Amino acid sequence: MFNTLSDRLTSVLQNLRGKGRLSEADIDATAREIRVALLEADVALPVVRTFIAKVKERAKGSEVSQALNPAQQVVKIVNEELVGILGGETRRLNLAKNPPTVIMLAGLQGAGKTTLAGKLAKWLRGQGHTPMLVACDLQRPNAVTQLQVVGERAGVPVFAPEPGNGVGDPVDVARRGIDEAKRAQHDVVLVDTAGRLGVDEEMMRQAIDIRAAVQPDEVLFVVDAMIGQDAVNTATAFRDGVGFTGVVLTKLDGDARGGAALSVREVTGQPILFASNGEKLEDFDVFHPDRMASRILG
Ligand code: GDP
């Protein structure tokens, strides 16, 4: 997803190679080119502004290292600032002291929540947990069946409302799901919620009600990295509406520009916990800001 950005940044930074000293003009020109590369990759403007200001300030400042030449020094600064935007340290999942840990998944329809529920469940199993899924997306006709399929693939049970009882109340399903998890001694419960095609009040209301009812240890906002600047807008709307404790980026395997997704952490102030890069259950990993920054810088 970040190939173009990566190529651009690498070539900008390569132009500095071989320079014995960097003048202010060199740094300004480099900063300008980095700015254009980030904006063209769809990184949100306020994020780009802060980033560029910091890089310039540090590159012009007194960070003199004997070990690094000026070009290497700028690369180091850009890398560190990129890691900063992406959240710095890897943020681990917050597990409850008294199980079950409740994790609620929220986001727009099509963001990849249901798929993520399976991925996360499989990953959690690999970490020695005994997760259970709860189907609270009663909006989309096939969502419950889809979650059951995903659960089966991941080898984890799915709590779903009994068929034939009308649409049902997602808050009630969430509550009963957690009771069932306690009874059957599952240590993590993943609650899949309904999304809409766009941010709408009813969806937000429902997510707020589920959150209030189940008091999750984590609310993960799932966002499709392919939707460009809307990723930032949607994230802000969810932060102000439901609120969330972490972000999951999905569809990082796509060829869209994706920089907006890289802005979500900085814009919302919440960390990115996981990244999803394909349709298969194993196309998923913990998000490491430093590894992502290194990947982008080539
Ligand atoms: P939900 O509406 O949020 O539950 O979204 P789904 O889990 O149903 O996903 C919507 C579509 O995106 C499905 O076709 C998934 O297979 C696909 N999808 C989910 N995650 C990824 C991903 O990381 N990469 C790609 N390429 N497709 C994905």
Side-chain angles (χ1 to χ4, degrees), residues 116-192:
L116 173 77
K119 291 178 174 186
L120 198 49
K122 185 170 180 216
W123 179 83
L124 283 163
R125 275 191 63 193
Q127 305 278 310
H129 293 285
T130 54
M132 189 186 98
L133 304 178
V134 179
C136 293
D137 181 355
L138 312 181
Q139 217 79 244
R140 200 156 51 89
N142 280 328
V144 172
T145 323
Q146 194 193 335
L147 193 71
Q148 283 164 331
V149 170
V150 155
E152 200 164 306
R153 268 195 223 137
V156 299
V158 177
F159 182 87
E162 301 74 22
N165 285 345
V167 172
D169 173 13
V171 176
D172 178 54
V173 174
R175 274 205 201 96
R176 286 193 291 128
I178 289 165
D179 288 345
E180 171 59 19
K182 284 180 185 157
R183 194 199 58 75
Q185 301 198 331
H186 291 285
D187 69 343
V188 185
V189 190
L190 301 175
V191 180
D192 188 24

Side-chain angles (χ1 to χ4, degrees), residues 14-247:
Q14 242 159 17
N15 289 341
L16 294 177
R17 275 206 194 154
K19 291 198 189 244
R21 274 196 70 232
L22 296 183
S23 64
E24 290 223 350
D26 287 330
I27 293 170
D28 287 339
T30 304
R32 252 195 317 276
E33 288 179 55
I34 295 175
R35 180 188 154 88
V36 173
L38 293 173
L39 287 174
E40 283 183 359
D42 247 355
V43 179
L45 183 58
V47 177
V48 175
R49 280 208 186 110
T50 318
F51 181 87
I52 295 298
K54 282 192 192 156
V55 168
K56 265 195 194 167
E57 188 191 313
R58 288 184 58 188
K60 288 181 185 177
S62 54
E63 280 185 39
V64 187
S65 154
Q66 301 299 327
L68 300 178
N69 65 40
Q72 288 168 329
Q73 204 133 328
V74 175
V75 172
K76 179 169 175 277
I77 292 169
V78 171
N79 179 63
E80 286 171 2
E81 292 300 330
L82 208 48
V83 173
I85 282 184
L86 298 173
E89 300 278 297
T90 304
R91 156 73 147 74
R92 295 165 72 97
L93 200 59
N94 188 16
L95 295 172
K97 284 197 190 77
N98 299 316
T101 296
V102 178
I103 302 173
M104 172 175 164
L105 308 178
L108 293 185
Q109 183 175 317
K113 285 184 298 302
T114 308
T115 311
L116 173 77
K119 291 178 174 186
L120 198 49
K122 185 170 180 216
W123 179 83
L124 283 163
R125 275 191 63 193
Q127 305 278 310
H129 293 285
T130 54
M132 189 186 98
L133 304 178
V134 179
C136 293
D137 181 355
L138 312 181
Q139 217 79 244
R140 200 156 51 89
N142 280 328
V144 172
T145 323
Q146 194 193 335
L147 193 71
Q148 283 164 331
V149 170
V150 155
E152 200 164 306
R153 268 195 223 137
V156 299
V158 177
F159 182 87
E162 301 74 22
N165 285 345
V167 172
D169 173 13
V171 176
D172 178 54
V173 174
R175 274 205 201 96
R176 286 193 291 128
I178 289 165
D179 288 345
E180 171 59 19
K182 284 180 185 157
R183 194 199 58 75
Q185 301 198 331
H186 291 285
D187 69 343
V188 185
V189 190
L190 301 175
V191 180
D192 188 24
T193 67
R196 301 282 177 114
L197 290 175
V199 171
D200 89 18
E201 218 165 285
E202 199 191 323
M203 167 187 69
M204 221 48 110
R205 184 78 259 153
Q206 191 180 94
I208 290 168
D209 289 346
I210 295 177
R211 181 173 192 176
V214 305
Q215 300 282 323
D217 301 283
E218 295 273 16
V219 180
L220 298 183
F221 169 65
V222 183
V223 62
D224 176 347
M226 306 250 282
I227 63 173
Q229 291 296 341
D230 271 348
V232 171
N233 303 335
T234 314
T236 313
F238 268 84
R239 182 199 55 193
D240 299 342
V242 189
F244 53 83
T245 58
V247 178

